[in-house]
Amino acid sequence: MARNVITTDVALVGAGIMSATLGTLIRKLEPSWSVSVFESLDAAGAESSDPWNNAGTGHSALCELNYTPQQADGSVDVSKAITINEQFQVSRQFWAYAVDAGVMDDPSDFINPIPHASFVHGADNVEYLRKRYDALSHQTLFEGMEYFTDPATFSERLPIMAAGRNFGDPVAVNWFEGGTDVDFGSLTKKLINFVGKGGSVHFGTKVTDLKKQKGGGWRLTIKNLRTNEISHVDARFVFVGAGGGALPLLQKSGIKEAKGFGGFPVSGQFFRCSNPELIDHHAAKVYGKAPTGAPPMSVPHLDTRVIGGNKGLLFGPYAGFSPKFLKAGKYTDLPLSVKPNNIVPMMAVGLKEMGLTKYLIGELTQTPADRVHTLSEFVPRADGHDWELITAGQRVQVIRKGKGGGNLEFGTAVIAAEQDQIAGLLGASPGASTAVPAMLDVLGKCFPKHMQAWKPLLQEMIPSYGTTLNDNKKLYTQVWDWTNRTLQLAPGVGADAQA
Ligand SMILES: Cc1cc2nc3c(=O)[nH]c(=O)nc-3n(C[C@H](O)[C@H](O)[C@H](O)COP(=O)(O)OP(=O)(O)OC[C@H]3O[C@@H](n4cnc5c(N)ncnc54)[C@H](O)[C@@H]3O)c2cc1C
């Protein structure tokens, strides 16, 4: 029997970047609504949003080659890259607004300027990268992108990747000076802190169940993990921002919108560099090409990080398999997520995705020497003693009903039921970088009647709200320069282009 019942307008399950973003938006748009956050861990941003659990790339398709696939006719399709970049511009604007509005302080705690680069070798890949550059460089959002193949520039910009390299194998690089590294853990903590000032944040509390109330709204069952005490929360609106823990809770909610969804967890490991000299001599996020048959999130990258004011360097990810849905999850997570309504899509994916299974087995059986060999494609003189293996966050890829029974997806799915006043997020890519557009999507789906009244403030927060920047150079230049100034990033390339 419940001893306490808290009532709240908005209950946010999980204190990751998604709940933090939604909570901040709601607190700004509707200051009179009460907001309560329930997080099973003892801190905000400690699961996938923790800086060492993800790569901290401000994903804007500047360097990720999976967003610019080559077509059968040899041309490069850049439409996905433009969409991803547009989404990141939305996040950048909201973060700049939040700094200007005093929601959070010192932006260098969470975002830092780091060039983004795509790197390939081999004649065919070099030709592909040239085509990618030709297709992207005249797009407004990608203005300022560079392309180089000469060993001298390569050695100057990427010294640890040049040392010991055989330039007889041709190389090519797309380089964008205005990329970013984002510490999503720090950003989450700042936003949750703001949410907590006008609402309540409960750490060490796990949401174990949620039931629709007859008169509307939801009753959540909460377990205090320190005392094992059970209590209840009555909420008008629930957002399941539980990351990998979202699927089981959405299944428990019983909403029809969640039916048929399944999840496939992919774990990851990074090599973290422990040699200060190497860390010092690399300053870029460099993304390569995924091995054949590998899923898009396994693209290898050598990444400068800025965490707690210190520069770091990571390489990876090395994929793996664990049936847990969260790093702090249970081995029963995957088997218990199989339900009568998703068994068909899950089995269909199991049969269809043999390539992925083969790839994961290959990754799991890698020896330490194999991992160093993979790294040596980027750092030819890699020495295993300079790198320690760390476990990154879990990604739960979305499985949904579709052709042939079901499909495995590598994007994000917003599950929302307006009539039931509940929403949740499944999937992990492009991830934290798109937290702001994803949460605007949640607001639009769950509060359509409020959107008109909220529009002026949303436009103040996000000047490009409701429009796109790639086809509006004037507005792009304005927001690029404003966000760069406020977030203390590089001088605006938009300004240079206009001069
Ligand atoms: C290896 C890897 C690399 C990545 N690289 C990038 C990158 O470079 N750039 C990028 O933008 N994104 C990246 N991502 C994706 C990004 O990390 C995630 O999309 C993002 O952090 C998800 O945020 P979230 O708030 O949904 O989940 P989380 O940050 O995981 O937060 C969910 C929270 O909910 C809590 N929770 C779960 N269940 C319950 C419950 N029942 N009750 C209470 N609390 C609960 C959890 O403890 C957790 O704190 C990467 C992810 C991985 C795994």
Side-chain angles (χ1 to χ4, degrees):
M1 181 64 198
R3 292 230 320 261
N4 314 311
V5 178
I6 301 174
T7 58
T8 185
D9 292 317
V10 176
L12 304 173
V13 184
I17 187 62
M18 298 301 168
S19 288
T21 303
L22 186 64
T24 305
L25 279 164
I26 290 176
R27 279 225 39 230
K28 278 285 166 192
L29 293 167
E30 290 292 344
S32 67
W33 291 6
S34 52
V35 179
S36 308
V37 184
F38 302 94
E39 166 57 55
S40 54
L41 300 177
D42 290 329
E47 252 291 336
S48 287
S49 304
D50 175 271
W52 287 112
N53 283 346
N54 62 70
T57 302
H59 282 306
S60 26
L62 300 167
C63 55
E64 308 86 336
L65 298 177
N66 50 308
Y67 297 131
T68 48
Q70 190 155 20
Q71 305 298 96
D73 66 359
S75 64
V76 174
D77 179 1
V78 295
S79 52
K80 183 92 203 254
I82 293 168
T83 304
I84 299 289
N85 196 317
E86 291 280 3
Q87 290 176 337
F88 189 61
Q89 302 301 330
V90 172
S91 290
R92 274 177 69 120
Q93 291 171 74
F94 180 69
W95 300 337
Y97 160 82
V99 170
D100 275 349
V103 167
M104 29 182 204
D105 56 7
D106 196 352
S108 68
D109 289 342
F110 70 88
I111 190 164
N112 282 278
I114 298 290
H116 282 195
S118 317
F119 153 69
V120 296
H121 60 97
D124 289 351
N125 290 331
V126 168
E127 197 192 330
Y128 157 72
L129 209 67
R130 171 82 222 183
K131 285 183 179 162
R132 178 183 187 266
Y133 169 76
D134 288 343
L136 277 180
S137 55
H138 65 272
Q139 302 287 343
T140 299
L141 294 173
F142 294 83
E143 236 167 46
M145 178 175 268
E146 297 171 66
Y147 171 80
F148 57 83
T149 54
D150 62 302
T153 312
F154 191 98
S155 306
E156 187 198 312
R157 305 256 180 113
L158 300 166
I160 67 168
M161 291 179 62
R165 181 168 297 280
N166 169 15
F167 282 105
D169 179 21
V171 294
V173 173
N174 280 172
W175 182 276
F176 195 89
E177 198 63 30
T180 50
D181 178 74
V182 186
D183 177 342
F184 290 108
S186 170
L187 175 61
T188 303
K189 285 183 173 61
K190 283 176 190 277
L191 295 177
I192 287 288
N193 196 29
F194 172 76
V195 174
K197 276 182 193 153
S200 60
V201 183
H202 309 260
F203 290 115
T205 56
K206 182 172 179 169
V207 176
T208 56
D209 201 3
L210 69 175
K211 289 265 174 301
K212 204 154 85 179
Q213 302 276 71
K214 274 214 177 83
W218 292 87
R219 173 157 286 198
L220 276 57
T221 305
I222 311 284
K223 182 174 182 183
N224 182 322
L225 297 177
R226 295 161 193 158
T227 62
N228 284 333
E229 191 187 346
I230 301 291
S231 58
H232 290 96
V233 175
D234 287 347
R236 273 199 306 126
F237 170 75
V238 179
F239 174 66
V240 186
L247 179 65
L249 283 176
L250 285 167
Q251 287 175 330
K252 282 185 179 168
S253 76
I255 57 167
K256 66 175 188 316
E257 288 77 0
K259 295 226 168 13
F261 278 95
F264 183 78
V266 177
S267 56
Q269 289 174 312
F270 289 133
F271 255 161
R272 180 163 61 188
C273 186
S274 53
N275 179 337
E277 214 179 309
L278 283 181
I279 297 170
D280 250 20
H281 284 84
H282 185 80
K285 287 181 169 281
V286 184
Y287 277 59
K289 267 191 120 177
T292 312
M297 77 285 186
S298 61
V299 171
H301 47 95
L302 182 66
D303 249 292
T304 293
R305 303 299 321 272
V306 185
I307 297 171
N310 299 314
K311 231 179 123 188
L313 184 60
L314 66 77
F315 179 78
Y318 297 97
F321 175 76
S322 154
K324 292 181 183 182
F325 279 178
L326 292 162
K327 213 169 154 178
K330 294 200 173 116
Y331 290 104
T332 49
D333 287 346
L334 177 62
L336 289 181
S337 74
V338 182
K339 306 281 177 206
N341 66 62
N342 67 12
I343 192 159
V344 172
M346 293 200 58
M347 283 178 66
V349 165
L351 292 171
K352 267 201 243 172
E353 299 288 341
M354 290 318 260
L356 175 62
T357 312
K358 235 170 92 186
Y359 166 78
L360 289 177
I361 292 170
E363 287 280 292
L364 278 168
T365 50
Q366 278 205 345
T367 63
D370 292 335
R371 290 195 191 96
V372 175
H373 179 73
T374 309
L375 169 63
S376 69
E377 188 187 350
F378 280 67
V379 184
R381 292 199 175 133
D383 177 342
H385 296 101
D386 292 331
W387 301 84
E388 57 166 324
L389 198 62
I390 59 166
T391 303
Q394 281 289 97
R395 289 185 206 249
V396 181
Q397 306 301 151
V398 177
I399 292 178
R400 91 163 89 199
K401 275 184 193 158
K403 218 172 147 202
N407 294 315
L408 182 66
E409 296 178 1
F410 294 101
T412 305
V414 171
I415 310 289
E418 186 209 345
Q419 71 286 4
D420 293 328
Q421 288 292 281
I422 188 168
L425 196 77
L426 300 177
S429 297
S433 301
T434 56
V436 181
M439 293 307 103
L440 288 175
D441 191 15
V442 166
L443 289 178
K445 283 181 168 143
C446 293
F447 301 100
K449 294 191 187 85
H450 291 68
M451 292 310 278
Q452 198 53 33
W454 289 345
K455 199 171 171 188
L457 185 49
L458 287 172
Q459 279 172 332
E460 191 187 315
M461 295 170 173
I462 301 151
S464 74
Y465 177 75
T467 157
T468 49
L469 291 172
N470 197 43
D471 43 16
N472 188 343
K473 186 160 175 182
K474 190 164 167 235
L475 183 58
Y476 167 69
T477 305
Q478 281 167 7
V479 303
W480 183 251
D481 289 344
W482 162 57
T483 51
N484 276 337
R485 214 172 35 250
T486 305
L487 298 173
Q488 299 166 16
L489 302 171
V493 291
D496 289 344
Q498 282 240 319

